[in-house]
Amino acid sequence: MPKLILVRHGQSQWNLENRFTGWWDVDLTEKGVEEAKAAGRLMKEKGVLPTIAFTSYQTRAIKTLNLALEEAGRLWIPVIKDWRLNERHYGGLTGLDKQETRDKHGDEQVHIWRRSFDTPPPPMEPGSQFDPGADPRYEGIDVPYTESLKLTIERVLPYWESDILPVLASGETVIISAHGNSLRALVKHLSNISDEDITGLEIPTGQPIIYDFDDNMVPGERYYLKDS
């Protein structure tokens, strides 16, 4: 029975500081490191051991994966990195403190930017402080300047269909270490969640989510590994 493990990166420095992060590359906090290690220990304890891994181009997801795999004794498995698993791009909000943004633009507008399905934040100015466009990891990639959840889904799902699902269907146990919104995109698809409901779904940091697939590659109900 093919098994999929989804894990959101451990707490990052900007999670702690309550700032919009998006494509900006921030590191894990000490708490985030421990969350990642705990995820790996849990996988080992439960005997849910990945055989291949996918992650984004962002340090917080890569480090979470490596720390978890080390605890699980699985550092040796193949790892594929792809920008399409990156976090949603928060545009001009990147780097801003969330409370300051609410004070400036109002609770309602910030709620729309954060939680609407298809309304992106204002675009980032090219060449601005947090523009990742000059980062060598994105060479040759048409880096977005803002994304809604809908736009994030439009890059995540084709990658899921073309690159991850065939690996899963071959019988591998796949782990994806990614971000709140790129994982929301997958959970929306796999659990058939509506556009309205998906924006309210919280994906906690460092808590492995499991999907078991049947022989026809139909996923069962998602559950947290800690509850199994």
Side-chain angles (χ1 to χ4, degrees):
M1 183 181 285
K3 193 180 290 283
L4 175 66
I5 308 161
L6 304 178
V7 63
R8 183 183 174 193
H9 63 79
Q11 184 192 63
S12 75
Q13 190 58 42
W14 280 16
N15 291 148
L16 179 63
E17 295 173 14
N18 205 29
R19 297 165 80 181
F20 291 101
T21 312
W23 277 43
W24 193 245
D25 206 35
V26 298
D27 210 340
L28 299 175
T29 61
E30 285 185 20
K31 179 184 177 184
V33 167
E34 185 47 47
E35 286 176 333
K37 289 180 176 180
R41 288 194 293 270
L42 183 63
M43 289 191 293
K44 187 173 185 179
E45 176 194 325
K46 298 285 188 178
V48 177
L49 299 172
T51 57
I52 190 167
F54 293 84
T55 189
S56 72
Y57 274 0
Q58 298 185 273
T59 297
R60 56 195 186 270
I62 296 166
K63 270 199 175 177
T64 295
L65 178 64
N66 289 343
L67 289 163
L69 291 180
E70 185 171 13
E71 290 292 321
R74 290 269 148 167
L75 269 177
W76 51 269
I77 68 171
V79 176
I80 297 102
K81 301 181 181 79
D82 198 283
W83 69 272
R84 286 168 291 185
L85 293 173
N86 274 22
E87 177 58 292
R88 169 189 170 191
H89 195 305
Y90 273 104
L93 301 183
T94 304
L96 297 180
D97 175 277
K98 290 175 184 174
Q99 186 55 53
E100 289 174 352
T101 311
R102 284 193 286 269
D103 294 343
K104 181 177 178 181
H105 295 285
D107 287 347
E108 187 176 348
Q109 181 61 65
V110 174
H111 183 76
I112 289 169
W113 285 333
R114 288 190 69 194
R115 292 303 192 203
S116 80
F117 181 67
D118 55 6
T119 304
M124 178 180 283
E125 292 290 326
S128 70
Q129 181 182 1
F130 300 118
D131 181 4
D135 192 314
R137 80 190 81 184
Y138 300 122
E139 188 175 349
I141 292 168
D142 189 13
V143 173
Y145 283 98
T146 185
E147 287 180 312
S148 60
L149 179 57
K150 181 173 185 284
L151 289 171
T152 308
I153 289 169
E154 286 173 6
R155 64 168 156 85
V156 173
L157 277 194
Y159 181 66
W160 160 260
E161 297 283 353
S162 65
D163 288 61
I164 304 176
L165 188 58
V167 172
L168 193 65
S170 75
E172 303 279 3
T173 298
V174 173
I175 184 169
I176 302 174
S177 176
H179 307 265
N181 285 292
S182 49
L183 293 178
R184 262 197 196 99
L186 290 173
V187 169
K188 182 185 192 303
H189 173 68
L190 294 170
S191 293
N192 197 26
I193 298 173
S194 70
D195 295 354
E196 293 73 28
D197 291 342
I198 192 58
T199 56
L201 177 73
E202 288 297 333
I203 297 186
T205 53
Q207 283 291 344
I209 295 169
I210 307 296
Y211 283 94
D212 294 311
F213 288 73
D214 67 17
D215 292 340
N216 297 313
M217 292 309 295
V218 176
E221 291 291 320
R222 74 183 183 280
Y223 60 92
Y224 287 103
L225 185 57
K226 64 181 173 61
D227 298 330
S228 66

